[in-house]
Amino acid sequence: MDGYQSILVHLDASPRCAERLAMARRIAPAHGAATLIALLAVEPRLLPLPLRVDVEALAVPIVPQIDPEHRDFARTLFNGALASGDPAMTWAEVPGDPPVWGTAQASLYVDLMVLGQHDPEEPRTRDVPRDFVESVVMESGKPALVIPYVGRYPAVGQNVLIAWKPTRECARAVAGALPLIRRAKRVHVVSWGPDNYGPAETTFGIVRALRWHGVEASANRYPDEPSELGELLLSHAADQASDLLVMGCYGHHRIHELLLGGVTRTVLRSMTLPVLMAH
């Protein structure tokens, strides 16, 4: 992937939408994106009837709708960004479908999603499912750049940490992050356990694969995977002043319940930097 030609950014009614939209607007022109889609996707709800209704009005079925205040908040944010100039942006909504399904469907036509970490203390996100990020990532199969609910991130991808494991999920995450990785000033790979495709003990398969894309990466490989790997990854990122973590998103659906791998769950709960992940 040479660049992100299309980017989808998720909007809701939370103040953090501004950070997600700003991030997407910085990435889009840097990668020659032809379009940026701002997608409002929240749970519709039954809006209350007016105080005075007639019999005919009562006979009309009440259809779940997006909270108009939440739509107005997101639309005002979008209009302000649109008025400031490039890049080209398109407004879209998931009006009647569940937000996870609608967002996953919309993501099939873009190169990158920009999503936001769930904030349990933010009341304005009550109409966004708690497991929205992981559900969309796993349902769509597309790479997602997840922005923490605290902090400002004016530059992402200068110092990249890749959490590597020879799995489909990690391979998809690295492939989805390549446009950012190619522009990075520093790329470091950390891995636990054997890599059967490494040409030597000091260099393993992913370092060689990155070199094929013109990326020189340093690497550390440790023999055994620790039980608290999620915390250790975030600690590695902090120690190295990384501004982007690239990793696979692990989990599976079982009778409508989303079960996440421990590392994925920990990072999504405690993330301290933007994370690009894929399933």
Side-chain angles (χ1 to χ4, degrees):
M1 183 186 292
D2 294 330
Y4 301 120
Q5 298 304 308
S6 53
I7 299 174
L8 183 149
V9 56
H10 173 243
L11 296 186
D12 52 34
S14 68
R16 289 299 289 179
C17 277
E19 183 69 18
R20 297 200 293 271
L21 188 56
M23 177 72 71
R25 296 184 71 233
R26 286 192 294 270
I27 294 173
H31 292 270
T35 187
L36 190 158
I37 300 170
L39 181 70
L40 176 65
V42 297
E43 292 280 6
R45 65 187 183 91
L46 295 176
L47 298 178
L49 287 171
L51 292 178
R52 297 183 61 185
V53 296
D54 54 29
V55 175
E56 291 184 1
L58 288 174
V60 176
I62 302 175
V63 179
Q65 300 179 44
I66 293 176
D67 187 323
E69 292 184 4
H70 288 193
R71 177 190 283 110
D72 290 345
F73 179 91
R75 186 77 201 209
T76 298
L77 181 67
F78 171 84
N79 289 340
L82 187 64
S84 65
D86 291 336
M89 295 194 299
T90 300
W91 171 270
E93 295 184 17
V94 179
D97 298 318
V100 168
W101 187 88
T103 305
Q105 287 294 302
S107 74
L108 300 179
Y109 306 97
V110 301
D111 296 326
L112 178 70
M113 299 181 287
V114 179
L115 310 177
Q117 178 194 21
H118 173 73
D119 183 357
E121 304 299 326
E122 174 52 63
R124 283 181 168 267
T125 60
R126 67 183 184 273
D127 51 6
V128 178
R130 295 176 63 89
D131 61 354
F132 177 80
V133 169
E134 52 266 42
S135 297
V136 169
V137 171
M138 293 173 62
E139 186 74 24
S140 70
K142 285 303 189 79
L145 179 61
V146 187
I147 311 301
Y149 63 72
V150 295
R152 293 289 181 267
Y153 306 95
V156 168
Q158 298 297 303
N159 185 356
V160 179
L161 177 65
I162 299 174
W164 176 253
K165 194 173 185 179
T167 64
R168 176 196 70 182
E169 292 84 355
C170 279
R172 285 183 172 178
V174 171
L178 270 178
L180 293 169
I181 292 173
R182 284 199 188 99
R183 295 167 175 260
K185 295 179 180 178
R186 181 175 185 269
V187 178
H188 185 71
V189 180
V190 62
S191 181
W192 284 264
D195 186 329
N196 297 328
Y197 295 94
E201 291 184 0
T202 56
T203 306
F204 49 102
I206 186 59
V207 173
R208 180 176 55 177
L210 288 171
R211 191 175 296 127
W212 292 336
H213 291 277
V215 177
E216 291 295 331
S218 58
N220 285 107
R221 184 170 67 200
Y222 304 95
D224 300 312
E225 185 174 303
S227 58
E228 304 299 327
L229 181 53
E231 290 87 345
L232 188 57
L233 277 178
L234 294 175
S235 178
H236 267 283
D239 291 344
Q240 299 187 32
S242 302
D243 58 16
L244 177 65
L245 171 63
V246 177
M247 61 178 285
C249 177
Y250 296 92
H252 55 274
H253 291 283
R254 185 179 296 169
I255 315 178
H256 304 297
E257 180 181 4
L258 182 65
L259 301 179
L260 290 179
V263 178
T264 305
R265 183 185 303 108
T266 297
V267 170
L268 285 176
R269 182 182 65 240
S270 307
M271 59 194 300
T272 53
L273 75 168
V275 178
L276 195 148
M277 55 174 50
H279 177 68

